[in-house]
Structures are given as structure tokens and as C-alpha cells.
């Protein structure tokens, strides 16, 4: 793993900000790295304000969407809220459905079956809506490529409002309104909203036009922060504001369904972070669609009584436990395939295929294989007679472009630069694998194939004071575009109490100090780094890069280093 220390910033600017704000120069360096160069910008960064959200009507077609939604409500038409089975889709549906059911009783929701219908708007869902007398479908986190589905809906007397955040193609679906900040003809100031975020802008616009106080939308923000965290959109601009207030809502007054998950995940209110959403809340919500049905997730997230939330929450938690077992088994099989050269491809891209794998976990397995081999990875299985699966990429390599280069072999595909899904006929798999491997070989660089830790700056332990950490916490919420700062400290030792922890003794729990400050010990955790134990236990020095986190346990909060990588100083030339 390579450590890349960010280039130095303007020292005069750092010193001026440090003096104006009364903070350590390391902290002002972090601000400058984030494009903050004045006291006013720093105040906006540290004090997000809902008044700084963008006007939703700046989004192309928003006026048409609100007008059509109003007509449906006034005319008592049946409205169907449609979204995908992942976290972004189910939170988006839950948000819009929760809002609409307060102003009309003529609303229902639909989540497609991952196995029968697959990703996005399905023919089955359109026909179901028409046969059940719905007149308006609002799609969330999908629909931007559903040209034929929009035509089908129109032919059956259904109007569509599409709310999506994926990249559109040249032709847009013929819907009443297409809300997508990534439209080339859309001048909305921020184009990296989650799918749930686009849904929120729709209800914000409706509320703005028809006299619903913004305060009534605040309870929806716990859903929105879950989508922002789980979908890995950038936590800057509008997303940073929404995530900040969403975390406040999640920590102080979460909806009953999210509270059930919080309790099952053994999280504590007032201490839930973006990381907790990514690693503990999001996977549980996702598990419903992976193992059973995404509809269960929406039922949980829109539950109005404690008992229902607890029952559904327990069911989803069981789904998650089952998912983890299956994920573990498939990952083991896939790793063996690659090691034994039984995979479809393993040179430039990792492509593994088994018709017996569970479709719901292949995306997770792909992420595990990227960690193991650090190559663009495809994990494929068979469903409804087709080869289908998920792909994950490495830093800097555009996976979507690679897949698009094989579009002639595919039934459908979709996704982002780093994650995608695809479906093809089985007879096309050999050619697909050959072309993908060639594409990767011709478009990937050596830098892309080396895992990199971006180090923000060097730090001495003596600088990690309570005040330093208190200000550092105000840099949250962290996420893409505003990642948790990574620090580098050289020549550190364990005080002799370090030990292996974890079910397989795979982690390290250390008490670290620098030779120049032997009395300043800081607790640290290093996940999956037990191979360094003997070196450290023998009193040898190491260099570490790490983030600084709050470790909250049984009512006590302490500062802890979360180590990202360790380099033994004996290896340094």
C-alpha cells in the first residue's frame, strides 16, 4: 500500500486562518485543503445552515412535476411511489410516501423484486399499476433510462414523474417530468444528490409552493442522511447540510423503524456517525432486498408503531445475519476460483461466475475481491435464464465506461464509475470477459492498481489535545469530498500492553507513544493487521497513518486512533 502525502498548501493562508480562528495550524491546513480560505467560509463549514439549501425550482422540470403532483392530489388520483430495493431506493420511497400520505390517502408504494424484476422500472410494475387504477407513478433512484417503460406507461394511461440521480443518455424518457440534476440541460447548482435527495427536493418544492412549513420536512432528514451515507455521494455543498441535520435527527428523534435498527445494531443515540450508517444501519436495510423483499425495508422505515417496527426490524436483522453467512461462503468460493485459476478472467480484471450464487450478495462479494486483488471485479450468477451480477472498480478506473464498451453484448446495465450491475445471455459471457480484460489492460494505469492511502498531513501525538479533537469533530459529517482526515505519525511504539483481539485474533489493540513523549499514550485499534504484532510487541518502532475517532463505550468517551496502515521502520531505507 502506498502512502501519498497531500501537497503543501499556502503557508501564509494557513497561518492567517489559524490566527483568525484560534486553532492549530494542522486544523487550518485541513480547512485550506478543503478550499476554505476565509473566516466566513470556515463559519459556514462549521455551522451548516438549512437556509443555504438551493431552491428546488432551479431543477429542470420541477415546476411540471409539482403541477402534476398537485393535480393528482386535488383530483384524488391514485399515486404510486416506485423505487429500487437498495438503501437509496427504499429510503427515497419511504421519504416521499411518508410525505404524501399526510396529504392524501390515495397513495401506495412499489418495490420491485430483485430476482423476478431486477433493477429499475419493470414491465410488471407498470402493468400492475395500470390494472390497479393508478394514474401517476413517481420513480425514485431509477427511471432515467426507462424509455420503453415510460412509453408503456403512457399507452396504459399512466403519467410518470422520474426522480433519478444517475447519468442520463442522450434520449430521455417521455415522462411528465424528469428530475435529474445530471441532465445536461439542467442548471441545478449541485449535481451529486442521492436518489433520496432528488425525492426530497420534490417534496420541498411542493411544500414551498403550497404552504407547508419547512419544519414539517425535518423529520424526513433521518432517511435522507441514511441514503447520503449508504450511496456514497459526496458530502459537500447541499449534501453536507442535509447530512448534518439528518444526523441530528437520527441521533435525537429517529423514526420508529430506524430506532429499531439502531437498537438491534447496539448503537447509542447521540453518538451515531456516518460510519455507523455505512457499516451497521445501511447493510441491515439492504439485507431486506437482498434476502427477501425490499418492500419489507419500506414497511420498516414507514412504521408508525413500536411493535411493528420491532417485529419487522428483527426480521430484517435476521435477513442480515443470513446475508453475512451466505456472503462469507460465496467469498470463500470466489477466492478459491481465482487462486486456482478457475475464474472466467483473472489477469487484468477479476471475473468469477457460478450459476448457483445468491444474486443478492454478489455486489458485496465483488467488493471483497477488490480488497483481495485490487483489480476491477465482476461477480456473476444466473437468474431468470440470464447471467447477471455486480461489478466494483479500483480508484480512478471508470467501470461504467468499460461496461458500456460491451453494451452490444448486454441485455441491460447501469451504475456509476465505481459500481455497476449488468445482465447478459450466457453465450456472450466468454466474449464479454475477453473484451473487458482487454479494455482494462488498455485503460488502467500502474497507479490505479496500487492501493493508496491519502495522508492529509503529519502530526505529533502532543498535538492531539481535547481542544484539537473537539474542533476536528466539527469537520463532520465525513464522506466523499470531505473524508475523515488521515494523519501520519512516525517512530511510534507500543507501551507493552498491545494485544491481538477479534474472533480470529486478526486485529490489534495498542497503546501507542512517541519516543520523545513517553508519558503521552494514545489507544489505537488496527483492524486486520495482526501480522505486525510480533514486530510491535518486541518494542520495535513503526510509522502509522490513521484517523482520530471517538470511542464511546458504556457511557465513557475517549479518543482513539483508527489505524489505516502500518509500516515497520526496519523496512524503511
Amino acid at each position: 500500500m502506498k502512502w501519498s502525502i497531500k501537497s503543501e498548501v499556502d503557508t501564509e493562508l494557513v497561518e492567517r486562518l489559524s490566527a483568525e480562528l484560534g486553532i492549530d495550524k494542522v486544523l487550518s491546513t485541513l480547512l485550506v485543503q478543503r478550499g476554505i480560505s476565509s473566516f466566513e467560509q470556515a463559519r459556514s463549514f462549521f455551522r451548516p445552515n438549512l437556509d443555504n439549501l438551493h431552491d428546488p425550482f432551479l431543477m429542470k422540470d420541477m415546476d411540471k412535476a409539482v403541477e402534476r403532483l398537485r393535480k393528482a392530489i386535488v383530483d384524488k388520483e391514485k399515486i404510486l411511489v416506485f423505487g429500487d430495493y437498495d438503501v437509496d431506493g427504499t429510503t427515497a420511497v419511504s421519504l416521499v410516501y411518508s410525505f404524501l400520505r399526510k396529504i392524501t390517502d390515495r397513495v401506495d408504494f412499489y418495490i420491485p423484486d430483485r430476482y423476478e424484476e431486477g433493477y429499475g422500472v419493470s414491465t410488471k410494475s407498470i402493468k400492475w399499476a395500470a390494472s390497479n387504477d393508478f394514474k401517476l407513478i413517481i420513480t425514485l433512484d431509477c427511471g432515467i433510462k426507462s424509455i420503453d417503460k415510460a412509453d408503456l406507461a403512457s399507452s396504459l394511461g399512466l403519467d410518470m414523474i422520474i426522480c433519478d440521480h444517475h447519468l442520463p443518455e442522450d434520449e430521455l424518457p417521455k415522462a411528465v417530468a424528469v428530475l435529474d440534476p445530471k441532465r445536461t440541460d439542467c442548471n441545478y447548482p449541485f449535481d451529486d444528490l442521492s436518489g433520496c435527495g432528488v425525492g426530497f427536493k420534490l417534496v420541498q418544492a411542493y411544500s414551498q409552493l403550497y404552504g407547508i412549513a419547512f419544519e414539517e420536512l425535518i423529520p424526513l432528514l433521518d432517511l435522507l442522511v441514511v441514503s447520503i451515507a449508504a450511496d456514497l455521494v459526496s458530502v459537500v455543498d447541499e449534501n453536507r447540510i442535509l447530512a448534518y441535520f439528518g444526523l441530528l435527527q437520527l441521533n435525537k428523534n429517529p423514526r420508529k423503524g430506524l430506532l429499531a435498527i439502531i437498537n438491534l445494531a447496539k448503537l447509542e443515540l447521540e453518538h451515531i456517525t456516518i460510519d455507523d450508517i455505512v457499516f451497521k444501519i445501511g447493510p441491515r436495510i439492504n439485507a431486506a432486498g437482498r434476502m427477501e423483499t425490499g418492500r419489507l425495508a419500506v414497511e420498516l422505515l414507514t412504521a408508525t408503531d413500536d411493535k411493528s417496527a420491532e417485529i419487522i426490524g428483527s426480521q430484517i436483522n435476521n435477513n442480515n445475519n443470513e446475508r453475512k453467512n451466505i456472503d462469507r461462503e460465496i467469498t470463500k468460493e470466489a477466492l478459491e476460483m481465482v487462486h486456482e485459476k478457475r475464474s472466467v478472467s483473472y489477469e487484468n480484471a477479476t471475473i468469477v461466475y457460478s450459476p448457483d450464487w445468491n444474486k443478492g450478495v454478489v455486489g458485496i462479494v465483488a467488493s471483497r475481491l477488490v480488497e483481495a486483488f485490487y483489480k476491477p471485479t465482476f461477480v456473476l450468477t444466473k437468474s431468470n435464464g440470464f447471467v447477471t451480477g455486480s461489478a466494483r472498480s479500483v480508484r480512478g478506473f471508470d467501470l461504467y465506461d468499460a461496461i458500456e464498451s460491451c453494451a452490444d453484448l448486454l441485455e441491460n446495465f447501469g451504475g456509476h464509475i465505481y459500481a455497476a450491475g449488468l445482465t447478459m445471455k450466457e453465450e456472450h459471457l466468454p466474449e464479454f470477459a475477453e473484451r473487458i480484460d482487454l479494455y482494462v489492460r488498455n485503460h488502467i494505469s500502474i497507479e490505479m492498481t496500487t492501493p493508496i492511502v491519502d495522508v492529509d498531513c503529519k502530526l505529533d501525538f502532543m498535538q492531539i489535545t481535547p481542544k484539537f479533537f473537539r474542533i476536528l469533530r466539527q469537520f463532520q459529517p465525513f464522506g466523499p469530498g470531505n473524508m475523515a482526515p488521515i494523519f501520519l505519525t512516525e517512530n511510534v511504539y507500543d507501551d507493552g500492553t498491545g494485544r491481538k483481539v477479534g474472533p480470529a485474533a486478526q486485529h490489534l489493540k495498542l497503546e501507542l507513544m512517541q519516543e520523545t513523549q513517553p508519558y503521552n499514550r494514545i489507544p489505537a485499534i488496527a483492524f486486520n493487521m495482526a501480522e505486525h504484532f510480533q514486530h510491535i510487541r518486541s518494542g520495535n518502532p513503526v510509522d502509522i497513518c490513521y484517523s482520530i475517532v471517538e470511542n464511546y463505550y458504556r457511557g465513557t468517551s475517549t479518543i482513539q486512533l483508527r489505524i489505516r496502515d502500518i509500516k515497520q521502520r526496519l523496512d524503511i531505507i
Side-chain angles (χ1 to χ4, degrees), residues 8-33 36-39:
E8 291 188 8
V9 295
D10 186 331
T11 53
E12 285 186 17
L13 178 56
V14 167
E15 288 179 5
R16 179 170 59 77
L17 259 186
S18 181
E20 287 180 358
L21 299 170
I23 61 175
D24 188 290
K25 288 179 184 176
V26 168
L27 294 168
S28 55
T29 297
L30 296 176
L31 289 174
V32 173
Q33 287 173 341
I36 295 164
S37 58
S38 69
F39 180 88

Side-chain angles (χ1 to χ4, degrees), residues 46-311:
F46 286 131
R47 300 284 182 271
N49 192 325
L50 288 166
D51 291 340
N52 292 330
L53 293 179
H54 302 306
D55 180 352
F57 284 100
L58 294 174
M59 195 176 294
K60 181 77 172 178
D61 278 3
M62 185 61 80
D63 52 345
K64 297 176 185 175
V66 171
E67 181 183 347
R68 181 63 186 88
L69 179 56
R70 180 64 174 180
K71 180 182 184 302
I73 291 168
V74 170
D75 293 350
K76 299 191 182 305
E77 294 177 343
K78 288 182 73 176
I79 304 168
L80 186 65
V81 183
F82 180 103
D84 260 311
Y85 36 70
D86 62 6
V87 179
D88 194 15
T90 53
T91 53
V93 168
S94 300
L95 187 150
V96 174
Y97 176 72
S98 295
F99 173 80
L100 288 178
R101 73 177 177 184
K102 288 187 174 182
I103 52 180
T104 177
D105 60 359
R106 306 279 287 169
V107 61
D108 201 351
F109 64 87
Y110 189 106
I111 305 291
D113 183 275
R114 179 190 290 264
Y115 302 97
E116 286 187 15
E117 298 168 79
Y119 173 85
V121 184
S122 65
T123 299
K124 178 183 175 182
S125 64
I126 297 290
K127 291 180 176 178
W128 183 88
S131 65
N132 284 276
D133 199 32
F134 286 90
K135 297 300 180 188
L136 175 64
I137 300 177
I138 301 172
T139 76
L140 295 152
D141 189 35
C142 60
I144 196 65
K145 294 184 178 180
S146 301
I147 294 169
D148 56 336
K149 306 300 189 304
D151 290 343
L152 174 63
S154 180
S155 71
L156 295 173
L158 287 160
D159 284 340
M160 289 179 74
I161 295 172
I162 292 171
C163 303
D164 205 345
H165 70 132
H166 296 95
L167 276 171
E169 294 181 345
D170 293 339
E171 183 183 356
L172 295 176
K174 293 180 177 64
V176 169
V178 178
L179 306 180
D180 188 333
K182 289 188 174 72
R183 283 179 61 167
T184 55
D185 59 347
C186 180
N187 295 319
Y188 193 71
F190 182 63
D191 72 353
D192 202 28
L193 292 167
S194 64
C196 186
V198 179
F200 179 79
K201 300 309 291 189
L202 173 61
V203 303
Q204 183 191 358
Y206 187 93
S207 301
Q208 198 170 296
L209 197 61
Y210 292 106
I212 298 172
F214 186 86
E215 287 68 28
E216 293 190 35
L217 305 185
I218 300 293
L220 301 173
L221 296 181
D222 57 358
L223 291 168
L224 189 43
V225 70
V226 170
S227 84
I228 289 170
D231 217 50
L232 298 177
V233 291
S234 58
V235 187
V236 300
D237 199 283
E238 193 163 42
N239 278 347
R240 177 174 165 78
I241 299 170
L242 294 168
Y244 177 87
F245 286 97
L247 276 175
L248 286 180
Q249 182 70 19
L250 188 65
N251 277 287
K252 292 183 182 300
N253 189 26
R255 64 192 50 242
K256 295 182 186 299
L258 285 174
L259 181 59
I261 294 180
I262 288 165
N263 291 334
L264 287 161
K266 295 180 171 55
L267 298 172
E268 294 202 42
L269 293 177
E270 304 289 346
H271 297 276
I272 300 168
T273 65
I274 291 286
D275 271 1
D276 290 324
I277 297 172
V278 172
F279 296 111
K280 295 184 177 179
I281 295 174
R284 284 172 167 82
I285 295 173
N286 247 337
R290 292 186 189 281
M291 308 309 300
E292 199 166 339
T293 168
R295 186 172 180 89
L296 204 59
V298 178
E299 288 172 356
L300 174 69
L301 297 174
T302 57
T304 55
D305 64 280
D306 295 330
K307 189 66 178 173
S308 296
E310 288 172 13
I311 292 170

Side-chain angles (χ1 to χ4, degrees), residues 421-520:
L422 64 157
T423 301
M424 73 187 90
K425 292 177 179 174
E426 191 164 18
E427 59 262 33
H428 290 155
L429 179 56
E431 184 181 350
F432 173 81
E434 185 179 327
R435 282 167 56 177
I436 284 290
D437 198 74
L438 181 63
Y439 185 97
V440 173
R441 188 178 74 188
N442 291 336
H443 291 82
I444 205 163
S445 64
I446 293 173
E447 290 77 14
M448 291 179 193
T449 60
T450 306
I452 294 175
V453 178
D454 285 318
V455 177
D456 290 83
C457 49
K458 292 184 177 181
L459 192 67
D460 282 333
F461 282 177
M462 65 182 294
Q463 293 172 276
I464 307 174
T465 63
K467 179 185 177 183
F468 180 94
F469 183 61
R470 187 174 67 251
I471 296 169
L472 185 65
R473 285 179 63 188
Q474 294 177 44
F475 279 70
Q476 297 184 57
F478 296 128
N482 182 43
M483 299 299 288
I486 304 295
F487 302 104
L488 165 62
T489 301
E490 297 171 326
N491 213 16
V492 304
Y493 299 79
D494 180 66
D495 71 354
T497 62
R499 63 190 190 278
K500 295 180 185 179
V501 295
Q506 73 271 44
H507 313 311
L508 295 180
K509 195 165 176 53
L510 308 168
E511 290 285 333
L512 297 177
M513 57 187 179
Q514 285 180 283
E515 190 172 28
T516 53
Q517 307 146 42
Y519 301 107
N520 187 18

Side-chain angles (χ1 to χ4, degrees), residues 391-393 399-400 403 414-421:
R392 298 292 183 269
S393 194
L399 188 69
Y400 187 87
I403 295 171
H416 306 279
I417 178 174
Y418 292 122

Side-chain angles (χ1 to χ4, degrees), residues 341-389:
K341 295 183 169 46
R342 292 186 290 110
S343 54
V344 181
S345 175
Y346 53 82
E347 290 186 6
N348 300 298
T350 303
I351 305 177
V352 290
Y353 168 60
S354 169
D356 301 322
W357 287 340
N358 184 302
K359 181 183 174 185
V361 302
V362 291
I364 299 170
V365 175
S367 296
R368 303 256 194 271
L369 296 191
V370 170
E371 289 173 13
F373 304 112
Y374 212 69
K375 296 176 182 178
T377 298
F378 298 73
V379 179
L380 306 171
T381 186
K382 200 165 189 178
S383 179
N384 296 327
F386 290 95
V387 171
T388 185

